Amino acid sequence: MPTFNPASPQAADIQSLFFVMLLVAAVIMAIVTGLVAYITVRFRARPGDGEPHQEFGRPRLEIAWTLASLAVVTGLFLLTIRTMRAADPPPGARSPDVVVIGHQWWWEVRYPASGAVTANEIHLPVGVRSLLRLQSADVIHDLWLPRLGRKMDMIPGHPNYVWLQPRAAGTYLGACSEYCGAQHAWMRLRVVAQPADEFDAWSRRQLAAPVAPAGGAAAAGARLFQNLTCPNCHAITGTGAAARIGPDLTHLAERETLGAGVLDNTRANLTAWLADPQRVKPGSYMPNLQLSDAQVAELVAYMETLR
Ligand code: CUA
C-alpha cells in the first residue's frame, strides 16, 4: 500500500502521525472492550441474586477519566499541529515553483520561473522541496499523490499550496480524488522525479520550440493542425497556436500518456484518440473532428515530431 511506503519526508511525517493515532486508538479500544468483557462475565446476574447495590456519582473517578481523555486528545492535537507544520509550512512570501491547474479532465502544469507549460506530468528535481500552487479552472478537483503523502483540494478562486519532495528518482502515480464529472476516473497524474541535471535539461527542452517538419506527412499534419480548429484550444510553441483551453502540445511526443492517463502515448493510441476522442474518453471536451483516415495519419505524423 502506498500509504505504508512513503517516498517523501512529508509522507513520512504523516505516516508517523498515523501510526501514533492507530496505536493510541488500539490501546483505548483494548481497554474498553476488555473491561466490558470482564465486567459482563464477572458481574453477571446469578440465580438468587437480588437487585445489586446502586451507586450514584463517583466524583474522583469521573474527574480522572475526563482528565485522561483530555490528555489523550490534547496530545494528539499537539502531534497533529507538529505534523502539519512539518509537512505543510505556510509558503509565506515564497513564489511557487510549480502551478498546477485542474481542468475537466486533465492537469495543466506551469513553471512560473521558466515559463514552461506542460500537462499531466509534473517533473521535479529529486530531494528538493518544491512548492506547488494548486488551482482550478472549473470545478473542485483534488490532487492526490499517495506515495508522496500529498492530497489537497483544488478549489476555484482559492489557491492551495503543497510541498513536494520526492526522495528518490522515479515516477509517482497520482489521480484526481474529488468527483469532478464524467471523466473524473480518467484524470490521472504522474510526478517524474529526476536528478538535478536531468531536471534542468528537461526544463530547458520544454522552452525550446519543436523543429518544424520539413516535408512529408508530418508537414502536411502541421498545416492541417493550423487550418483545423486545433489552435482554438491548444498551444504549440513556435507556431501561431497559443490557446490555453486544452493541454499544451509543444512536447506531446515526450509524454508517457494521452488524455490524462487514459491511453499510453503510442502511434496506435494517438490514432484512435484523434479518430474519435469521444469513443476513448466519453464526455471529454476534445471533439470528434470527423477527420478522414488520411488526415488522422498526417496529424499523428506531426504530433510525433513534437519533442
Ligand atoms: Cu478532477 Cu475528479
Side-chain angles (χ1 to χ4, degrees), residues 103 105 140-142 176-180 184 187:
H103 292 256
W105 292 276
I140 299 177
H141 302 276
D142 185 285
C176 180
S177 187
E178 177 73 47
Y179 181 72
C180 56
H184 159 69
M187 192 165 162

Side-chain angles (χ1 to χ4, degrees), residues 6-305:
S8 75
Q10 293 85 8
D13 285 338
I14 293 167
Q15 189 198 50
S16 319
L17 178 66
F18 171 73
F19 282 141
V20 170
M21 294 230 169
L22 188 67
L23 187 70
V24 170
V27 169
I28 291 173
M29 187 173 136
I31 292 173
V32 171
T33 48
L35 278 175
V36 168
Y38 171 74
I39 290 165
T40 309
V41 175
R42 173 75 180 74
F43 299 103
R44 69 186 183 280
R46 292 183 176 85
D49 282 358
E51 185 75 8
H53 168 68
Q54 302 292 311
E55 215 172 321
F56 297 97
R58 274 284 192 102
R60 276 200 182 162
L61 193 60
E62 286 168 22
I63 289 169
W65 75 49
T66 304
L67 288 181
S69 310
L70 190 66
V72 170
V73 172
T74 307
L76 292 180
F77 175 72
L78 293 177
L79 276 179
T80 304
I81 297 288
R82 201 183 69 172
T83 304
M84 287 170 76
R85 290 178 66 99
D88 273 317
R94 174 163 167 169
S95 45
D97 302 292
V98 189
V99 175
V100 184
I101 305 166
H103 292 256
Q104 287 175 315
W105 292 276
W106 60 282
W107 312 80
E108 182 179 348
V109 182
R110 298 174 176 226
Y111 294 79
S114 69
V117 181
T118 181
N120 304 324
E121 285 178 17
I122 305 174
H123 285 245
L124 291 177
V126 168
V128 177
R129 226 161 56 116
S130 299
L131 179 63
L132 275 72
R133 187 166 78 207
L134 307 180
Q135 301 173 193
S136 169
D138 36 49
V139 300
I140 299 177
H141 302 276
D142 185 285
L143 175 117
W144 185 35
L145 292 159
R147 284 205 62 204
L148 299 175
R150 306 331 324 264
K151 188 171 176 302
M152 183 68 80
D153 272 0
M154 313 170 88
I155 298 166
H158 178 90
N160 277 332
Y161 291 84
V162 283
W163 298 90
L164 283 187
Q165 186 177 3
R167 273 178 181 161
T171 300
Y172 301 92
L173 300 181
C176 180
S177 187
E178 177 73 47
Y179 181 72
C180 56
Q183 285 296 339
H184 159 69
W186 282 115
M187 192 165 162
R188 301 293 173 87
L189 172 72
R190 47 191 65 208
V191 166
V192 181
Q194 298 170 300
D197 51 339
E198 265 178 45
F199 173 75
D200 291 342
W202 176 85
S203 301
R204 279 195 300 277
R205 265 203 323 281
Q206 292 310 297
L207 296 177
V211 180
R223 282 193 300 277
L224 203 52
F225 183 90
Q226 296 298 332
N227 293 333
L228 291 169
T229 50
C230 315
N232 289 356
C233 292
H234 294 285
I236 298 178
T237 305
T239 75
R244 292 278 171 227
I245 309 292
D248 185 295
L249 300 178
T250 306
H251 297 280
L252 176 74
E254 291 187 355
R255 292 185 207 144
E256 291 174 42
T257 69
L258 300 170
V262 73
L263 292 173
D264 288 334
N265 190 0
T266 65
R267 176 177 293 186
N269 286 342
L270 188 54
T271 303
W273 172 255
L274 288 174
D276 188 356
Q278 293 303 313
R279 205 169 58 85
V280 176
K281 194 170 176 177
S284 146
Y285 289 110
M286 171 83 174
N288 184 343
L289 294 175
Q290 312 291 339
L291 305 169
S292 69
D293 289 352
Q295 287 176 314
V296 169
E298 287 172 354
L299 280 173
V300 169
Y302 175 46
M303 295 291 124
E304 287 179 334
T305 69

